Each structure stands twice: as structure tokens, then as C-alpha cells.
């Protein structure tokens, strides 16, 4: 499985961006897709996830109400719609795919994921 992320850019506070993550290969084996972000202050931080079996979603408290994860099965693509962006959202964003969820909250942890896309930079200026 290969993941290709895109959609980052430089925007102003309050603007929106949509990140895309397109999967190729044996995508049917993936049970969870997620977005993480990297900053020097927090390291790799969970942002959002989507269970492919039932479309259950989860979000970090810092992005609830502003970000939305969705997917288009016809395009093998997962999206992260980011609205009302803030300077603290500045980071390199990564999409990830996991083959198994070991326990209830395992989707929060990078170690759960088997596949990672390349990062896409999001910069929000005030």
C-alpha cells in the first residue's frame, strides 16, 4: 500500500484548506485511516481518524468543530477539510493507514499505523 498526501499550503488565519490522501495497492486490507501532524513542540500529534468498516470518526480536541475527515471510495481517497485555520495548526501533516486496531484507543497512536504518506506542509499566518 502506498499513500500520497497533497493539499498543503500557506494561508491566513481563518482560511480553509483540504488535504487529500490517495491510497494505492491492497487498500481493502486497511481498517483505519488517520491524519497526524508534526511540530517541533509536540512531536507527532493525532488529528483525526476514520474507521473504514463503519465510517466512525474521531478528532483531537484541538480541531473538533473545525476539521472534518471523509472519504471517497471511488477514488481511494481520504480528505481532511480544515476550516477556521489558526497559526497553531501550522505543521507537517501526514496521512496514515492501519491494518489492525488492537484496542479501543489505539487509533490515537502512530505505532498503530502500517503505512504513511509523505508529509504536506500547512502554514497558517496571523
Amino acid at each position: 500500500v502506498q499513500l500520497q498526501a497533497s493539499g498543503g499550503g500557506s494561508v491566513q488565519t481563518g482560511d480553509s484548506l483540504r488535504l487529500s490522501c490517495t491510497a494505492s495497492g491492497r487498500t481493502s486490507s486497511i481498517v483505519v485511516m488517520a491524519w497526524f501532524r508534526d511540530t517541533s513542540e509536540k512531536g507527532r500529534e493525532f488529528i483525526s481518524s476514520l474507521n473504514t468498516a463503519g465510517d466512525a470518526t474521531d478528532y483531537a480536541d484541538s480541531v473538533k468543530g473545525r476539521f472534518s475527515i471523509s472519504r471517497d471510495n471511488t477514488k481511494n481517497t481520504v480528505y481532511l477539510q480544515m476550516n477556521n485555520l489558526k497559526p497553531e495548526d501550522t505543521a507537517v501533516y501526514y496521512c496514515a493507514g492501519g491494518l489492525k486496531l488492537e484496542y479501543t484507543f489505539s487509533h490515537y497512536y502512530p505505532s498503530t499505523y502500517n503505512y504513511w504518506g509523505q508529509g504536506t506542509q500547512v502554514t497558517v499566518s496571523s
Side-chain angles (χ1 to χ4, degrees):
V1 175
Q2 292 186 323
L3 304 178
Q4 179 75 33
S6 62
S10 296
V11 297
Q12 301 284 325
T13 297
D15 285 350
S16 298
L17 278 174
R18 189 178 75 162
L19 305 183
S20 300
C21 177
T22 300
S24 59
R26 297 187 64 179
T27 59
S28 60
S29 59
I30 295 176
V31 300
V32 58
M33 292 292 294
W35 289 94
F36 288 78
R37 65 188 181 192
D38 276 5
T39 63
S40 56
E41 296 83 8
K42 296 184 179 180
R44 186 151 295 187
E45 178 187 15
F46 169 82
I47 298 303
S48 183
S49 64
L50 183 149
N51 283 22
T52 60
D55 281 341
T57 59
D58 200 2
Y59 298 91
D61 287 344
S62 58
V63 305
K64 275 181 184 175
R66 300 189 297 123
F67 290 14
S68 177
I69 191 170
S70 63
R71 64 172 174 165
D72 184 338
N73 290 337
T74 65
K75 297 181 179 179
N76 279 341
T77 299
V78 172
Y79 302 101
L80 185 69
Q81 178 67 42
M82 306 185 295
N83 297 327
N84 191 21
L85 282 161
K86 304 176 181 180
E88 51 263 43
D89 295 318
T90 295
V92 179
Y93 284 71
Y94 294 89
C95 62
L99 300 176
K100 191 174 183 180
L101 292 169
E102 296 281 356
Y103 50 92
T104 303
F105 299 111
S106 59
H107 61 284
Y108 291 140
Y109 301 102
S111 59
T112 290
Y113 298 88
N114 306 91
Y115 308 107
W116 291 85
Q118 86 290 1
T120 185
Q121 176 72 45
V122 173
T123 303
V124 185
S125 55
S126 56

